[in-house]
Amino acid sequence: MSFTQELAAHTQELRQQIHAMPFNRALANGSLSPEIFQGYIIQDAHYLEGFARALSLAASKAPEAQSIAQLAGSAAGAIAVERELHAHYMGLFGVTSDDFEGTDVSAACDHYVSFLLRSAAIGDFPEAVTALLPCFWIYRDIGKEIAQTSRADNPYSAWIATYSGEAFDQSVQRMLDLVNRVADDASDATRARMHHAFQRSCWHEWRFWDSAYHREGWKQPRPEDVVTG
Amino acid sequence: MSFTQELAAHTQELRQQIHAMPFNRALANGSLSPEIFQGYIIQDAHYLEGFARALSLAASKAPEAQSIAQLAGSAAGAIAVERELHAHYMGLFGVTSDDFEGTDVSAACDHYVSFLLRSAAIGDFPEAVTALLPCFWIYRDIGKEIAQTSRADNPYSAWIATYSGEAFDQSVQRMLDLVNRVADDASDATRARMHHAFQRSCWHEWRFWDSAYHREGWKQPRPEDVVTG
Amino acid sequence: MSFTQELAAHTQELRQQIHAMPFNRALANGSLSPEIFQGYIIQDAHYLEGFARALSLAASKAPEAQSIAQLAGSAAGAIAVERELHAHYMGLFGVTSDDFEGTDVSAACDHYVSFLLRSAAIGDFPEAVTALLPCFWIYRDIGKEIAQTSRADNPYSAWIATYSGEAFDQSVQRMLDLVNRVADDASDATRARMHHAFQRSCWHEWRFWDSAYHREGWKQPRPEDVVTG
Amino acid sequence: MSFTQELAAHTQELRQQIHAMPFNRALANGSLSPEIFQGYIIQDAHYLEGFARALSLAASKAPEAQSIAQLAGSAAGAIAVERELHAHYMGLFGVTSDDFEGTDVSAACDHYVSFLLRSAAIGDFPEAVTALLPCFWIYRDIGKEIAQTSRADNPYSAWIATYSGEAFDQSVQRMLDLVNRVADDASDATRARMHHAFQRSCWHEWRFWDSAYHREGWKQPRPEDVVTG
């Protein structure tokens, strides 16, 4: 069993829950409300910027030139995807740049980005790169699964085409290969940290979608949380 | 008005809500349940380790030698405080090292630490140091406020003494001075990022205490979050 | 006068000395010894790996998405250029992969890479990006100058074509624009640090070529540096 | 044989050459010229600031709380030592703050600092901490060796007392223990990188002293390095 197969086995339940989320089911059959998708795509833009930063930071620590190029290339690619998808959906839904600029990052998105950047900043390379894997892997698996059943007139077909497509698949495969190579040389302690980072990022993936579906922002103190008098 | 007075003015409501939280009211009159305090002190230990990392990372970028020494000294001091308070309360409440090691970091604590480390890693020095300020400043203000009313037999008097004490007060004053010095030389864009970082850390302070009071761990998918069939 | 014009004015003498170095004059007329060029191209490969790391690290701190993509793209591009030029010259001169792997980085190359990584790690973004500018700018200017006089049968024409070409020119122009944009928002203190970083990297450029021309490795203690008896 | 004994064995010749340098022999018998010592102590101040930054950056990545405190404590301690020794020698030799501020860092000092910061920034923790070891270890060994023969009226007795003293000895021993602990858990590839980082820092130690003895600044192009006409 490869190391990434081990990672998959240890997170099977959570990853299945992500596939089964109402957001993804509604995306698949095209019934997802445009308001929810708009909110999601704005958060995704915030996310992809942070994701690109974390990929770049990890690239700076890669063990050899090929991996620097791969991770830096994925960083540049994440920004490019973000722009294309945005231009498409902002046009489709009539979202303006001002709508986008005026929408604050959600707590779930911000926590995920902070986790990735922290892993890349103070974790070693194996930890950094494994924290970055779920976003590649889960998006591809969701994209491919949805693509099998989605109809041509699905308003979200551009999103589905991006994440089920050949170009993204190749970048995911290179990440899987990189994590497996790194794991081969890693001590047991390092592998344990890789498992932990992977599990945490899978949790953040779930929270990202869950939060987008419920259009959550930042939790605020409720009156009952404050003692008065 | 100094820059730190501006920071205080912009976050007044949230900081007052932190003072008024049931956790802090119950800590003040000694009625806080030992279970909640134990959970809190374990999360605080997780937090102080991350806080010390973020202080160290910020120290590496400080503009001159004095600030490096200040921030690195605070990092070493945070670990020392953590050990003393822990040894004290683990003895008082019969918490073993195994209890501690076996208790996972909470989501609220982990998100806060990730935010601080991200700010120190990819933010510039003014942003990094302003993100670190609320933990100093709010703890001192809570400590001093509680110390005014707390009775000598309060089981949490060691905690109160630490955060209302002279040594901590001096380290807080040095942080306030440092942030004011840095703000004096900062452009408007940098000051805007400093305000943002301060506000976010204040929010994380609130979440940390709120989460400890409600003994929250990591949110999990509920049955209604999953589409079956 | 734009900020990059100021940078150019302050380093005019040193940059002219680089243009006038025997290495570059001999490269231009094709008389550079293959042994010196081989040594240079191996050091250049070591350099480009470190340069790509520093570009990636700077990308992680960029103020907005476009600059992340630009710098990460340049990082991936630096590795691609290194591979193409290497494959070409290793074939041309019969240098094997083993020759390459077996050649240690020179002190001049290592010091330059360390300086870039240090600037990107503990400097703020304006400092990081200005330290990275001379390698772009000086190579383009040398490349273009040499291209004007070099004959078609120059054995170094592939090198000359790379650095005098359109694709490289565009990436240099984007770096100049980025540094100018960043300088527009920078305080005087930040601009002073940008000048300093630029001057240091120009010095390292000179040392890199000077060291390659004289085939220097790592200075070692001489007998007269040691007191015996 | 412990890992640090291995490190010592692999660098025996270079470390002996450092002990035998004229700078250290003249320091031991008090004959070192005040001009050379002044130049050295100014560079040492530049160095200790960078050393403290690198210690702080390494602290942020330490595997557990105790090592964070140790490294951050050493960072704060390095700044404290710098100030004490400086105040002492600036008074003794009549060096003013302006003399100090007006003296640029030497190339040898700057390259060493850049190497340490690069190791701490993109290396993993074992590499970072091993790069930092020579400055502790070599200074202690030089300090103790000199202390055995130095007379009470040696003008450099404050320097000698600092580096041969108990407090410094304890911090060195903690670094040796830390490197040995880290090496115990490290893979062979990691240990190879640790050896490499140690060897490089020993070389920079030699260059630092050699450069201070010869009062070197930054090498500049000579007339014969420039092709004119």
Side-chain angles (χ1 to χ4, degrees):
Chain A
M1 190 187 278
S2 72
F3 183 71
T4 53
Q5 286 173 322
E6 278 182 40
L7 293 175
H10 286 199
T11 53
Q12 192 177 4
E13 185 181 352
L14 180 55
R15 288 184 305 105
Q16 282 176 345
Q17 286 166 329
I18 294 173
H19 281 257
M21 292 176 79
F23 184 100
N24 285 320
R25 293 309 97 216
L27 193 72
N29 64 29
S31 67
L32 187 65
S33 90
E35 287 72 25
I36 289 180
F37 189 79
Q38 282 172 37
Y40 158 81
I41 207 85
I42 288 173
Q43 294 308 319
D44 199 45
H46 284 302
Y47 174 76
L48 286 172
E49 182 182 319
F51 184 57
R53 291 182 193 282
L55 282 162
S56 299
L57 191 44
S60 73
K61 302 178 172 184
E64 24 64 48
Q66 184 186 339
S67 303
I68 302 171
Q70 175 185 330
L71 294 166
S74 287
I79 303 294
V81 160
E82 183 257 301
R83 283 187 194 158
E84 272 177 50
L85 277 179
H86 272 219
H88 179 78
Y89 283 107
M90 286 167 73
L92 198 66
F93 293 126
V95 179
T96 66
S97 288
D98 286 354
D99 293 336
F100 173 63
E101 302 289 338
T103 306
D104 194 15
V105 66
S106 71
C109 177
D110 206 53
H111 299 340
Y112 191 179
V113 164
S114 291
F115 174 72
L116 293 179
L117 284 164
R118 166 228 195 126
S119 301
I122 67 159
D124 53 15
F125 183 73
E127 206 174 331
V129 84
T130 313
L132 288 159
L133 182 59
C135 178
F136 284 91
W137 200 0
I138 291 177
Y139 264 65
R140 183 191 68 176
D141 286 0
I142 299 267
K144 291 202 172 212
E145 189 194 52
I146 289 178
Q148 288 175 352
T149 61
S150 176
R151 292 168 23 159
D153 62 353
N154 189 320
Y156 308 114
S157 58
W159 187 96
I160 297 164
T162 297
Y163 293 113
S164 64
E166 186 62 24
F168 189 63
D169 191 43
Q170 286 176 4
S171 72
V172 175
Q173 196 53 51
R174 282 194 297 266
M175 278 299 282
L176 289 163
D177 294 345
L178 175 58
V179 170
N180 281 323
R181 279 202 309 277
V182 164
D184 281 347
D185 295 334
S187 67
D188 287 349
T190 301
R191 282 170 164 246
R193 278 184 282 111
M194 293 169 82
H195 269 290
H196 185 261
F198 187 79
Q199 191 279 330
R200 279 283 199 267
S201 279
C202 287
W203 182 87
H204 282 290
E205 282 290 326
W206 166 67
R207 279 297 296 143
F208 186 91
W209 264 313
D210 185 57
S211 167
Y213 191 71
H214 296 103
R215 312 194 70 182
E216 295 172 3
W218 292 79
K219 201 175 175 182
Q220 297 300 332
R222 295 148 299 183
E224 66 265 30
D225 290 334
V226 176
V227 177
T228 53
Chain B
M1 191 188 276
S2 72
F3 184 71
T4 54
Q5 286 172 322
E6 278 183 39
L7 293 175
H10 286 198
T11 53
Q12 191 176 5
E13 185 182 352
L14 180 55
R15 289 184 304 105
Q16 282 176 345
Q17 285 166 328
I18 294 173
H19 281 257
M21 291 177 78
F23 184 100
N24 286 321
R25 295 306 97 217
L27 193 73
N29 66 28
S31 68
L32 187 66
S33 92
E35 287 73 24
I36 289 179
F37 189 80
Q38 282 172 38
Y40 159 80
I41 208 86
I42 289 174
Q43 293 308 320
D44 199 47
H46 284 301
Y47 173 76
L48 286 171
E49 183 183 318
F51 184 58
R53 292 183 193 281
L55 282 162
S56 299
L57 191 44
S60 74
K61 303 178 173 185
E64 24 64 48
Q66 183 185 339
S67 303
I68 302 171
Q70 176 185 330
L71 293 166
S74 287
I79 304 293
V81 160
E82 183 256 301
R83 282 189 193 154
E84 271 177 50
L85 277 178
H86 272 219
H88 180 78
Y89 283 107
M90 286 167 73
L92 199 65
F93 294 125
V95 179
T96 66
S97 288
D98 287 354
D99 293 336
F100 173 64
E101 302 288 339
T103 305
D104 194 15
V105 66
S106 71
C109 177
D110 207 52
H111 299 339
Y112 191 0
V113 164
S114 291
F115 174 72
L116 294 178
L117 284 164
R118 164 227 195 126
S119 302
I122 67 160
D124 53 15
F125 183 72
E127 205 174 332
V129 85
T130 313
L132 287 159
L133 182 59
C135 179
F136 283 91
W137 200 359
I138 291 176
Y139 264 65
R140 182 191 69 176
D141 286 0
I142 299 265
K144 291 203 173 209
E145 189 193 54
I146 290 178
Q148 288 175 353
T149 61
S150 176
R151 293 168 22 160
D153 62 352
N154 188 321
Y156 308 113
S157 58
W159 187 96
I160 297 163
T162 297
Y163 293 113
S164 64
E166 185 62 26
F168 189 63
D169 191 43
Q170 286 177 3
S171 71
V172 175
Q173 197 53 52
R174 281 193 299 266
M175 278 299 282
L176 289 164
D177 294 344
L178 175 56
V179 171
N180 281 322
R181 277 202 311 277
V182 165
D184 280 346
D185 294 334
S187 66
D188 287 349
T190 302
R191 282 170 164 248
R193 279 184 281 110
M194 293 170 82
H195 269 290
H196 186 262
F198 187 77
Q199 191 278 332
R200 278 282 198 268
S201 279
C202 288
W203 183 86
H204 282 291
E205 282 291 325
W206 166 65
R207 279 297 296 142
F208 186 91
W209 263 311
D210 185 59
S211 167
Y213 191 69
H214 296 102
R215 313 195 68 183
E216 295 171 3
W218 293 78
K219 202 175 173 183
Q220 297 300 330
R222 295 148 299 184
E224 66 267 30
D225 290 333
V226 175
V227 177
T228 52
Chain C
M1 190 187 278
S2 72
F3 183 70
T4 53
Q5 286 173 322
E6 278 182 39
L7 292 175
H10 287 199
T11 53
Q12 192 176 5
E13 184 182 352
L14 181 55
R15 289 184 305 104
Q16 282 176 344
Q17 286 166 327
I18 294 173
H19 281 257
M21 291 176 78
F23 185 99
N24 286 320
R25 294 307 97 214
L27 194 70
N29 64 28
S31 68
L32 187 66
S33 91
E35 287 71 26
I36 288 180
F37 190 78
Q38 282 172 37
Y40 159 79
I41 208 85
I42 289 174
Q43 293 308 319
D44 199 46
H46 285 302
Y47 174 76
L48 287 170
E49 182 183 319
F51 184 57
R53 292 182 192 282
L55 282 162
S56 299
L57 190 44
S60 74
K61 302 179 172 183
E64 24 64 48
Q66 183 185 340
S67 303
I68 303 171
Q70 175 185 329
L71 294 166
S74 286
I79 304 293
V81 161
E82 182 258 303
R83 281 187 195 158
E84 271 176 51
L85 277 179
H86 272 217
H88 180 78
Y89 283 107
M90 287 166 73
L92 198 64
F93 294 125
V95 178
T96 66
S97 288
D98 286 354
D99 293 335
F100 172 64
E101 302 288 339
T103 305
D104 194 14
V105 66
S106 72
C109 177
D110 206 52
H111 298 339
Y112 191 0
V113 164
S114 291
F115 174 72
L116 293 179
L117 284 164
R118 165 228 195 124
S119 302
I122 68 159
D124 53 16
F125 183 73
E127 205 174 331
V129 85
T130 313
L132 288 158
L133 182 59
C135 179
F136 284 92
W137 200 359
I138 292 176
Y139 264 65
R140 182 191 68 176
D141 286 0
I142 300 266
K144 292 202 172 209
E145 189 194 53
I146 289 178
Q148 288 174 353
T149 61
S150 177
R151 293 167 21 159
D153 62 351
N154 189 320
Y156 308 114
S157 58
W159 187 96
I160 297 164
T162 297
Y163 293 113
S164 64
E166 186 61 25
F168 188 64
D169 190 44
Q170 286 177 4
S171 72
V172 175
Q173 197 52 53
R174 281 194 298 266
M175 278 300 282
L176 289 164
D177 294 345
L178 176 57
V179 170
N180 281 322
R181 278 202 311 278
V182 164
D184 280 346
D185 295 334
S187 66
D188 287 349
T190 302
R191 282 170 164 246
R193 279 184 282 109
M194 293 169 82
H195 269 290
H196 186 262
F198 187 79
Q199 190 278 330
R200 279 284 199 266
S201 279
C202 287
W203 182 87
H204 282 290
E205 282 290 326
W206 166 67
R207 278 298 296 142
F208 188 90
W209 264 311
D210 184 58
S211 167
Y213 191 70
H214 296 102
R215 311 195 71 182
E216 296 171 3
W218 293 78
K219 200 176 176 184
Q220 297 300 332
R222 296 149 297 183
E224 66 266 30
D225 290 333
V226 175
V227 178
T228 52
Chain D
M1 191 189 274
S2 72
F3 184 71
T4 52
Q5 287 173 321
E6 279 182 39
L7 293 175
H10 287 198
T11 52
Q12 191 176 5
E13 185 182 351
L14 180 55
R15 288 184 304 105
Q16 281 176 346
Q17 286 166 327
I18 294 172
H19 281 258
M21 291 176 79
F23 183 99
N24 286 319
R25 292 309 96 216
L27 193 72
N29 65 27
S31 68
L32 187 66
S33 90
E35 289 70 26
I36 289 180
F37 190 79
Q38 282 173 36
Y40 159 81
I41 208 85
I42 288 174
Q43 294 307 321
D44 199 46
H46 285 301
Y47 174 77
L48 285 171
E49 182 182 318
F51 184 58
R53 292 183 193 282
L55 282 162
S56 299
L57 190 45
S60 74
K61 303 178 172 184
E64 23 65 47
Q66 183 185 340
S67 304
I68 302 170
Q70 175 186 330
L71 294 167
S74 287
I79 303 293
V81 160
E82 184 257 301
R83 283 189 193 155
E84 272 178 50
L85 278 180
H86 273 219
H88 179 77
Y89 283 106
M90 286 166 73
L92 198 63
F93 294 124
V95 179
T96 66
S97 286
D98 287 354
D99 294 335
F100 173 63
E101 302 289 338
T103 306
D104 194 15
V105 65
S106 71
C109 177
D110 206 53
H111 299 338
Y112 191 1
V113 164
S114 291
F115 174 72
L116 293 179
L117 284 164
R118 164 226 196 127
S119 302
I122 68 159
D124 53 15
F125 183 73
E127 206 174 331
V129 85
T130 313
L132 288 159
L133 181 58
C135 178
F136 284 92
W137 200 359
I138 291 176
Y139 264 65
R140 182 191 69 178
D141 286 1
I142 299 266
K144 291 203 171 207
E145 190 194 52
I146 289 178
Q148 287 174 355
T149 62
S150 177
R151 292 169 22 160
D153 61 354
N154 188 321
Y156 308 113
S157 59
W159 187 96
I160 297 163
T162 297
Y163 293 114
S164 65
E166 186 62 26
F168 188 64
D169 191 44
Q170 286 177 4
S171 71
V172 175
Q173 196 53 51
R174 282 193 298 266
M175 278 300 282
L176 289 164
D177 294 345
L178 175 57
V179 171
N180 281 322
R181 279 202 310 277
V182 165
D184 280 346
D185 295 334
S187 66
D188 287 349
T190 302
R191 282 170 163 246
R193 278 184 281 110
M194 294 169 81
H195 269 290
H196 185 262
F198 187 79
Q199 191 278 330
R200 279 283 199 266
S201 279
C202 288
W203 183 87
H204 282 291
E205 282 290 326
W206 166 66
R207 280 297 297 143
F208 187 90
W209 264 310
D210 184 58
S211 167
Y213 191 69
H214 299 290
R215 313 194 70 183
E216 296 172 2
W218 293 78
K219 200 176 175 182
Q220 297 300 331
R222 294 148 299 182
E224 66 267 30
D225 291 332
V226 175
V227 177
T228 52

